[in-house]
């Protein structure tokens, strides 16, 4: 049986970042993932993440050559409501930062981080985890091919469904939004490279996020959260009918809609594990918490978990304690749970404000956005919350 200090289960962006940082800190770490992503898709991935400056600062600690991986640094975010005339504009220059964040396709980020982990040459197992248990002060994992590994600590980074969380017997709170996010890649004649745009219509956000152009065509990633039956109806439309439906909602900046890729739906749920810690095991990223994508914070929260967990593990190591010392794992949870919870609770609140109907609702939204547009200090504070700085 192979032994390690830490085994990271799941090579999504959170698991890859964690494994690379622990390896760099001199911890003997192994990574287990049945489907490592090593080949960049030729077309745009339908899912994109907006990384905040705080996440970028964490990733800057890795040997990741950004210029090799397609991405867009955006400098403006424009938020508007279908019933209100004043849009809200967050602008990097006025906030004194170089950019508000970096948009990168999920598959591209995963390939970039996988490349990093391959370069660092840490042990990897291309298997799913089957069973797990604790014996002789170690947590063991049995892989799908029957191989056994053990470590002082196992970290579950195996995503929202987290089979490992279930095996650890950790319960979770769940809320079904009864919404799906319809995602697609939209090609347009106007160049909208610097701006991320979001429009609320009865509380449902429609976002267009700039993508790095392929074959010289300006493109954006569409994320449209809608009640499930409506999202399903839009998924079933022909491309031409879908364009007819979408085009009138977009600002002139995008010009003419030239084409829309295949579309996909993601059912939206919120989840939060009752605890992040078990005997010689800990949860990170979507395995611990899942939020509505409207503020683009899910992975940013996961990367903040990674940052804090690495700090706590290094603190245990410095003090000569076991990496599975419950006091250290609980400290990680105490430092991360409140922020994850606050962000999760803010999502329905934001949607609720934008869902207000009727003249009073329109006035509230209109006045609210106009007040934020006038009040630079308040706007900057809000922007800073979103940047994680
Ligand atoms: C429409 C949409 C838009 C979003 N936009 C943003 C955004 O702009 N910004 C943002 O920060 N977040 C965003 N998110 C959230 C973000 O995509 C997730 O938070 C993030 O991908 C989670 O990363 P992770 O590494 O925790 O898990 P995942 O990416 O889910 O990775 C889990 C990994 O575990 C592996 N695995 C599963 N089971 C096993 C097993 N038994 N054994 C071994 N490995 C296993 C899987 O193969 C996978 O590779 C969005 C989400 C959606 C749905």
């Amino acid at each position: 049986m192979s032994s390690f200090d830490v085994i990271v289960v799941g090579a999504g962006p959170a698991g890859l970042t964690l494994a690379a940082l622990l390896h760099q800190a001199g911890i003997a770490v192994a990574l287990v993932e049945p489907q490592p992503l090593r080949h960049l898709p030729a077309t745009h991935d339908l899912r994109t993440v907006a990384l905040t400056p705080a996440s970028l600062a964490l990733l800057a600690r890795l040997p990741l050559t950004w210029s090799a991986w397609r991405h867009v640094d955006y400098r403006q975010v424009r938020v508007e409501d279908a019933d209100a005339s004043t849009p809200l504009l967050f602008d990097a220059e006025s906030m004194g930062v170089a950019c508000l964040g970096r948009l990168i396709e999920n598959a591209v980020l995963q390939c970039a981080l996988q490349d990093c982990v391959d370069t660092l040459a840490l042990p990897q197992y291309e298997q799913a985890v089957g069973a797990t248990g604790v014996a002789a002060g170690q947590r063991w994992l049995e892989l799908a091919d029957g191989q056994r590994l053990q470590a002082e600590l196992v970290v579950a980074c195996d995503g929202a469904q987290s089979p490992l969380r279930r095996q650890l017997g950790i319960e979770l709170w769940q809320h079904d939004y009864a919404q799906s996010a319809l995602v697609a890649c939209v090609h347009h004649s106007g160049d909208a490279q610097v701006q991320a745009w979001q429009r609320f219509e009865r509380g449902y956000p429609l976002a267009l996020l700039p993508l790095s152009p392929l074959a010289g065509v300006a493109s954006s990633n569409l994320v449209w959260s809608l009640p499930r039956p409506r999202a399903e109806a839009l998924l079933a439309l022909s491309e031409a009918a879908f364009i007819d439906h979408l085009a009138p909602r977009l600002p002139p900046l995008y010009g003419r809609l030239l084409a829309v890729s295949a579309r996909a739906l993601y059912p939206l749920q919120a989840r939060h594990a009752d605890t992040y810690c078990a005997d010689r095991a800990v949860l990170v990223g979507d395995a611990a918490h899942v939020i509505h994508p409207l503020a683009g914070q899910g992975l940013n929260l996961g990367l903040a978990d990674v940052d804090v967990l690495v700090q706590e593990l290094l603190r245990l190591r410095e003090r000569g304690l076991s990496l599975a010392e419950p006091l250290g794992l609980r400290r990680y949870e105490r430092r991360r749970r409140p922020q994850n919870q606050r962000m999760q609770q803010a999502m329905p609140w934001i949607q609720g404000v934008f869902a207000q109907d009727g003249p009073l609702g329109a006035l509230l939204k209109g006045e609210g956005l106009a007040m934020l547009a006038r009040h630079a200090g308040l706007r900057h504070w809000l922007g800073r919350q979103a940047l994680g700085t």
Side-chain angles (χ1 to χ4, degrees), residues 9-14 32-34 47-50 106 110 127-129 157-159 163 181 183 223 285-286 293 296-300:
V9 176
V32 181
E33 162 67 52
R47 280 184 55 190
T48 297
V49 284
N106 276 31
Q110 220 166 321
Q127 295 288 325
V129 167
C157 297
D158 51 349
V183 296
V223 186
D286 273 23
Q297 291 297 327
L299 178 60
N300 290 302

Side-chain angles (χ1 to χ4, degrees), residues 103-126:
L103 284 158
I104 183 161
E105 297 154 58
N106 276 31
V108 177
L109 178 62
Q110 220 166 321
C111 277
L113 290 168
Q114 182 66 52
D115 184 62
C116 244
V117 163
D118 291 347
T119 308
L120 294 172
L122 57 92
Q124 296 181 58
Y125 296 83
E126 291 191 17

Side-chain angles (χ1 to χ4, degrees), residues 14-268:
L16 287 162
T17 307
L18 177 66
L21 288 171
L22 290 178
H23 174 85
Q24 289 189 142
I27 289 179
V29 60
L31 181 62
V32 181
E33 162 67 52
Q35 296 165 319
L37 196 60
R38 293 201 167 88
H39 301 290
L40 258 194
T43 55
H44 286 117
D45 188 7
L46 295 188
R47 280 184 55 190
T48 297
V49 284
L51 297 170
T52 58
S55 294
L56 291 172
L58 182 75
L59 296 177
R61 284 158 46 190
L62 301 178
L64 196 161
T65 317
W66 281 103
S67 55
W69 307 98
R70 55 182 193 247
H71 65 268
V72 172
D73 288 345
Y74 62 100
R75 298 198 296 276
Q76 289 178 348
V77 175
R78 186 185 162 104
V79 182
E80 53 191 53
D81 185 87
D83 298 332
S85 54
T86 316
L88 183 59
L89 194 69
F90 296 97
D91 176 71
E93 203 181 329
S94 69
M95 291 174 69
V97 289
C99 71
L100 295 179
R102 177 163 295 170
L103 284 158
I104 183 161
E105 297 154 58
N106 276 31
V108 177
L109 178 62
Q110 220 166 321
C111 277
L113 290 168
Q114 182 66 52
D115 184 62
C116 244
V117 163
D118 291 347
T119 308
L120 294 172
L122 57 92
Q124 296 181 58
Y125 296 83
E126 291 191 17
Q127 295 288 325
V129 167
T132 183
V134 171
Q138 299 275 303
R139 178 162 286 280
W140 57 263
L141 297 176
E142 188 172 278
L143 308 188
D145 65 354
Q147 223 179 142
R148 276 198 171 206
L149 311 176
Q150 65 175 18
E152 261 181 77
L153 178 71
V154 168
V155 188
C157 297
D158 51 349
Q161 303 300 332
S162 185
L164 190 53
R165 181 188 60 219
R166 265 182 273 129
Q167 281 163 358
L168 294 168
I170 298 179
E171 301 286 332
L172 76 168
W173 167 85
Q174 291 194 68
H175 169 70
D176 188 351
Y177 286 111
Q179 296 170 30
S180 290
L182 185 141
V183 296
C185 176
V186 178
H187 306 289
H188 38 80
S189 62
D191 178 10
Q193 274 278 299
V194 297
Q195 193 178 91
W197 172 83
Q198 190 165 42
R199 175 188 199 258
F200 284 86
E201 199 175 307
R202 292 174 181 263
Y204 295 104
L206 158 62
L208 275 185
L209 311 168
L211 288 167
S212 178
L214 287 177
V217 182
S219 306
S220 297
N221 179 236
L222 170 82
V223 186
W224 198 350
S225 304
L226 290 161
R228 218 157 271 153
R230 188 144 171 252
E232 282 159 11
L234 289 188
L235 183 76
L237 290 180
S238 67
E239 183 185 357
F242 184 75
I243 288 179
D244 286 347
H245 200 77
L246 178 63
R249 293 175 157 82
L250 306 189
L253 178 73
Y254 292 96
R256 210 160 44 81
L257 292 193
L258 306 173
V260 174
S261 70
R263 283 150 267 156
L265 291 186
Y266 287 88
L268 298 181

